[in-house]
Amino acid sequence: MKNSIIDVRPLSPTVGAELHGVDLAKPLEERAVLEIRDALHKYGVVFFRDQTIDKAQHLAFTERFGPIKGKSFLGTVEGYPMIGEVRKEPDQSRNIGGDWHTDHAFIANPPLGSVLVARELPAVGGDTMFTNMGNAYDRLSDGLKKTLSTLRAVQAKRQSFKPDAPADRRVDGAEKDKIDQQFAQYEFTHPVVIAHPESGRTILYVNPTYTVRFEGWTQQESAPLLQYLYQHAVRPEFVCRFNWREGSIAFWDNRSVMHYALNDYHGERRLMHRITVEGSPLAAATV
Ligand code: SIN
């Protein structure tokens, strides 16, 4: 963009860009906010490097993009109930977000996005991967696009504990029954092909963590097509991988990307602060 405040450096042609030229500790002028929003819509996730922001500045920056989402499944930072902790301790085997997902796909208004700030990092590992579901949709055949445009999918929190989930989050038997009951209210049906609420871009909206089945189809009937869509969406050339450093911040658009937090740093602490922006209902795209 001519006379831009922000220097946009894409990490790949379809997903992820580093944004340079702004200090997020200071109040941003409106033009900078617009440029960040534009980059977010284009690349699905934007990254900032070498930033030093405290908790209040993290909140102030995130609030420029919409109202903050209050309730979280995460533990929160003392004195800052709006800041969720994405924490893994050296003695823990399970991490948060360790499979492809979009956050809170199982509620009526999934979040607009999240701003994740690195607070403590392992010496090596703990990267996060992102894929752009607008690009994944664009790269399907016209025939499959047409079929998918007629479908809706059931999304449920309990699905993240399914028997074929990654080993560190798999549960069955009595434990599974307890989880099914505990999370029964967190279930919602969304269109499989949505129009992005702000940019209008057409997006494939299914993910392996929360999508249970297509509405009106059994789980068994749904599984082959869902599996095809998942492996298509995470083809290596569709994905970017972000290597966190001290001072790194990621801001993802939760309607247009899936993300995956790698769990490859056992025995070390990783602590991130996450603030989430409220979302809106998801409407089917007109294809
Ligand atoms: C998440 O899924 O929100 C966690 C992402 C990360 O820790 O990199």
Side-chain angles (χ1 to χ4, degrees):
M1 199 188 294
K2 217 174 155 207
N3 298 324
S4 305
I5 298 176
I6 294 189
D7 171 18
V8 179
R9 302 182 200 164
L11 295 192
S12 84
T14 58
V15 62
E18 281 193 11
L19 304 188
H20 293 261
V22 270
D23 178 355
L24 303 192
K26 298 192 178 134
L28 293 184
E29 52 183 287
E30 193 52 32
R31 236 182 72 218
V33 173
L34 289 177
E35 287 179 26
I36 294 170
R37 209 191 295 273
D38 280 351
L40 192 63
H41 290 159
K42 186 162 179 198
Y43 294 100
V45 55
V46 295
F47 306 106
F48 303 88
R49 295 288 196 188
D50 306 317
Q51 300 284 334
T52 309
I53 61 168
D54 62 20
K55 300 176 193 85
Q57 289 160 340
H58 183 184
L59 266 171
F61 170 71
T62 311
E63 273 168 352
R64 298 297 299 275
F65 297 89
I68 303 301
K69 188 167 164 17
K71 194 169 173 344
S72 171
F73 290 99
L74 305 174
T76 55
V77 174
E78 205 183 325
Y80 290 87
M82 307 306 219
I83 306 184
E85 277 194 345
V86 178
R87 177 190 283 273
K88 184 176 174 236
E89 292 293 345
D91 62 346
Q92 291 179 317
S93 56
R94 188 178 167 173
N95 75 338
I96 293 170
D99 198 0
W100 286 108
H101 65 287
T102 59
D103 296 323
H104 293 84
F106 45 81
I107 61 174
N109 299 341
L112 176 152
S114 287
V115 176
L116 191 69
V117 175
R119 294 296 180 198
E120 256 188 89
L121 293 170
V124 66
D127 293 356
T128 310
M129 298 197 298
F130 296 87
T131 187
N132 187 328
M133 299 301 278
N135 175 58
Y137 174 81
D138 292 346
R139 303 288 289 270
L140 294 169
S141 67
D142 288 345
L144 185 49
K145 283 178 181 163
K146 203 168 158 201
T147 299
L148 294 175
S149 71
T150 64
L151 299 178
R152 298 173 65 81
V154 178
Q155 315 277 352
K157 174 141 181 74
R158 64 183 151 75
Q159 181 71 1
S160 56
F161 303 93
K162 61 190 182 293
D164 63 346
D168 61 354
R169 67 193 58 235
R170 193 179 300 155
V171 293
D172 43 30
E175 207 189 344
K176 176 86 177 87
D177 293 345
K178 206 169 123 203
I179 278 170
D180 285 353
Q181 270 175 20
Q182 186 185 349
F183 294 124
Q185 61 180 303
Y186 297 111
E187 178 166 324
F188 204 82
T189 299
H190 291 290
V192 167
V193 180
I194 59 165
H196 188 280
E198 284 122 43
S199 69
R201 185 166 183 189
T202 306
I203 291 165
L204 179 62
Y205 194 73
V206 288
N207 73 88
T209 298
Y210 299 123
T211 306
V212 183
R213 60 181 173 82
F214 298 115
E215 189 178 51
W217 299 29
T218 65
Q219 256 181 280
Q220 220 177 0
E221 287 167 343
S222 307
L225 180 50
L226 286 173
Q227 284 308 324
Y228 171 75
L229 295 173
Y230 301 151
Q231 59 91 26
H232 165 79
V234 302
R235 280 167 56 179
E237 65 270 36
F238 293 178
V239 169
C240 79
R241 178 169 172 152
F242 186 61
N243 177 236
W244 294 90
R245 299 195 301 253
E246 194 183 328
S248 298
I249 298 175
F251 180 9
W252 63 86
D253 178 334
N254 186 55
R255 284 76 62 95
S256 65
V257 297
M258 288 201 293
H259 59 285
Y260 185 132
L262 273 83
N263 189 9
D264 57 355
Y265 52 94
H266 299 302
E268 288 189 81
R269 174 179 292 127
R270 181 177 183 272
L271 174 63
M272 320 291 274
H273 284 176
R274 191 175 91 179
I275 304 182
T276 296
V277 182
E278 286 278 5
S280 49
L282 301 177
T286 323
V287 179

